[in-house]
């Protein structure tokens, strides 16, 4: 029997550095404005503004947590943590997703209470603060777009927090204008409910994706049957067993499997071909492949597939 390990992370360090910078700058920007928006929300007595302020408060925590996740994720492997702390990024994304859902629920509850007992809202102050908040969120979103938001779930969860905040600012601006020109006080809780719906959808998606990774599910862009079929189509490969594909973190997929060959075949040549196939066709850089001889009955464990 033989083993092969293939590793490749070209560009990973570059993305990692960009993600850290983007998260740090976005955190600083959001945190600085957060205090002003919380105070403004209390002074104007606006739920739309307070919900946006509360979301911005969670954004500051989420961005800080995401930044710490990248810092911890960069720590090297050890004898007790052989993949280092890379999975910490997914834990951060999972927590961020849950906080989005919780915040939405609180907004729904407060909005209901405001429908029952509508308070007086200072629309002019609400308009000024929410407009500034919108500009701050646009700047933060632009900064995070410099990071790897499409492939890194941790950065994407932070980006969605900021987008939710941006929507909150837009909702608060519209509500302020409706109250100012038409005296429609219900616009405040209505705007909050619309934003809360959008936030809870984003939160559910991030939570679902991060939970899938934590459960070591197959990455969404890969198909287990296609991978197995491609390996079986290789010359000299008679069987594929104990095939597992999962993600260490959102941009770090991994594979392990057993290949069944005729006894006496050149193992290293087959392993090189298999690793090249997995790398070129499926983007799998971290692979562990074991060779078994045909008819040996060995497939790694009792859960062969």
């Amino acid at each position: 029997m033989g083993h092969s390990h293939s590793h490749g992370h070209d560009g990973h360090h570059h993305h990692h550095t960009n993600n850290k910078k983007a998260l740090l700058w976005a955190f600083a920007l959001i945190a600085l404005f957060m205090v002003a928006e919380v105070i403004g929300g209390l002074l104007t007595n606006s739920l739309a503004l307070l919900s946006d302020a509360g979301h911005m408060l969670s954004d500051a925590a989420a961005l800080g947590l995401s930044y710490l996740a990248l810092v911890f994720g960069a720590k090297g492997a050890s004898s007790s943590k052989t993949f280092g702390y890379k999975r910490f990024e997914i834990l951060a994304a999972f927590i961020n997703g849950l906080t989005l859902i919780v915040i939405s629920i609180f907004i729904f509850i407060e909005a209901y209470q405001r429908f029952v007992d509508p308070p007086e809202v200072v629309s002019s102050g609400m308009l000024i603060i929410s407009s500034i908040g919108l500009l701050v969120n646009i700047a933060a979103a632009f900064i995070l777009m410099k990071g790897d938001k499409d492939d890194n779930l941790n950065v994407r969860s932070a980006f969605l927090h900021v987008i939710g905040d941006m929507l909150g600012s837009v909702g608060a601006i519209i509500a302020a204008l409706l109250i100012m020109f038409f005296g429609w006080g219900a616009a405040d809780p209505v705007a909050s409910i619309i934003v809360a719906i959008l936030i809870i959808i984003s939160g559910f998606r991030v939570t679902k994706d991060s939970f899938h990774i934590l459960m070591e599910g197959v990455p969404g862009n890969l198909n287990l049957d296609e991978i197995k079929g491609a390996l079986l189509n290789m010359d000299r490969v008679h069987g594929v067993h104990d095939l597992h594909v999962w993600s260490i973190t959102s941009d770090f997929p991994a594979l392990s499997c057993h290949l069944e060959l005729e006894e006496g075949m050149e193992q290293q040549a087959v392993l090189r071909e298999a690793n090249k196939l997995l790398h070129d066709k499926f983007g799998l850089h971290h692979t562990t492949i074991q060779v078994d001889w045909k008819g040996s009955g060995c497939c790694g464990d009792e859960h062969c597939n």
Side-chain angles (χ1 to χ4, degrees), residues 9-294:
H9 305 289
D10 297 337
H12 180 75
H13 177 73
H14 174 71
H15 286 308
H16 182 81
T17 302
N18 284 347
N19 290 339
K20 282 179 65 176
K21 288 181 179 178
L23 286 169
L24 184 59
W25 279 104
F27 168 75
L29 190 62
I30 293 293
L32 285 172
F33 184 75
M34 175 194 67
V35 177
E37 190 167 33
V38 170
I39 295 172
L42 292 172
L43 291 176
T44 60
N45 200 25
S46 164
L47 175 60
L49 199 56
L50 280 172
S51 64
D52 187 42
H55 190 210
M56 188 167 276
L57 176 63
S58 77
D59 280 350
L63 289 165
L65 183 61
S66 295
Y67 175 75
L68 288 176
L70 288 181
V71 172
F72 275 104
K75 294 179 67 175
S78 65
S79 58
S80 62
K81 293 180 177 60
T82 56
F83 280 109
Y85 290 80
K86 296 184 184 299
R87 188 58 68 89
F88 193 89
E89 294 183 20
I90 304 305
L91 288 173
F94 184 72
I95 294 170
N96 285 348
L98 288 178
T99 57
L100 284 169
I101 295 172
V102 171
I103 288 166
S104 299
I105 293 171
F106 277 112
I107 293 173
F108 283 130
I109 295 171
E110 182 63 23
Y112 170 76
Q113 293 173 349
R114 294 232 167 181
F115 277 120
V116 175
D117 185 19
E120 187 71 26
V121 178
V122 182
S123 57
S124 58
M126 175 183 173
L127 179 62
I128 293 170
I129 297 170
S130 56
S131 297
I132 297 172
L134 177 61
L135 295 176
V136 170
N137 284 311
I138 289 173
F142 181 77
I143 291 170
L144 287 173
M145 286 177 69
K146 299 292 185 180
D148 191 22
K149 72 173 182 62
D150 293 325
D151 296 322
N152 187 292
L153 184 59
N154 186 35
V155 176
R156 179 151 59 94
S157 70
F159 179 76
L160 288 174
H161 264 276
V162 173
I163 292 298
D165 233 354
M166 189 187 301
L167 294 171
S169 296
V170 171
I173 289 171
I174 294 172
L177 292 171
L178 289 173
I179 295 170
M180 186 180 296
F181 292 107
F182 301 103
W184 189 36
D188 184 51
V190 167
S192 300
I193 289 174
I194 293 172
V195 172
I197 292 172
L198 297 173
I199 292 172
I200 204 168
I201 291 171
S202 296
F204 176 76
R205 286 176 179 169
V206 171
T207 304
K208 179 184 175 183
D209 290 347
S210 54
F211 182 75
H212 184 71
I213 292 177
L214 290 172
M215 292 301 294
E216 299 192 341
V218 177
N221 63 325
L222 296 175
N223 183 292
L224 204 65
D225 291 332
E226 286 183 10
I227 295 172
K228 185 173 184 177
L231 290 171
L232 284 172
N233 284 334
M234 289 173 52
D235 293 336
R236 299 169 289 182
V237 174
H238 294 276
V240 178
H241 308 292
D242 200 20
L243 175 62
H244 300 281
V245 182
W246 71 102
S247 294
I248 305 303
T249 187
S250 54
D251 53 359
F252 189 170
L255 172 145
S256 68
C257 72
H258 289 227
L259 296 183
E260 189 176 305
L261 309 180
E262 289 281 1
E263 191 165 354
M265 281 185 176
E266 177 55 45
Q267 298 179 23
Q268 293 305 314
V270 176
L271 290 173
R272 282 194 297 270
E273 183 183 347
N275 281 320
K276 187 176 187 306
L277 169 70
L278 294 170
H279 178 280
D280 295 348
K281 185 172 182 178
F282 300 103
L284 285 159
H285 312 295
H286 186 94
T287 58
T288 303
I289 302 174
Q290 177 172 318
V291 171
D292 297 328
W293 301 130
K294 185 179 178 182

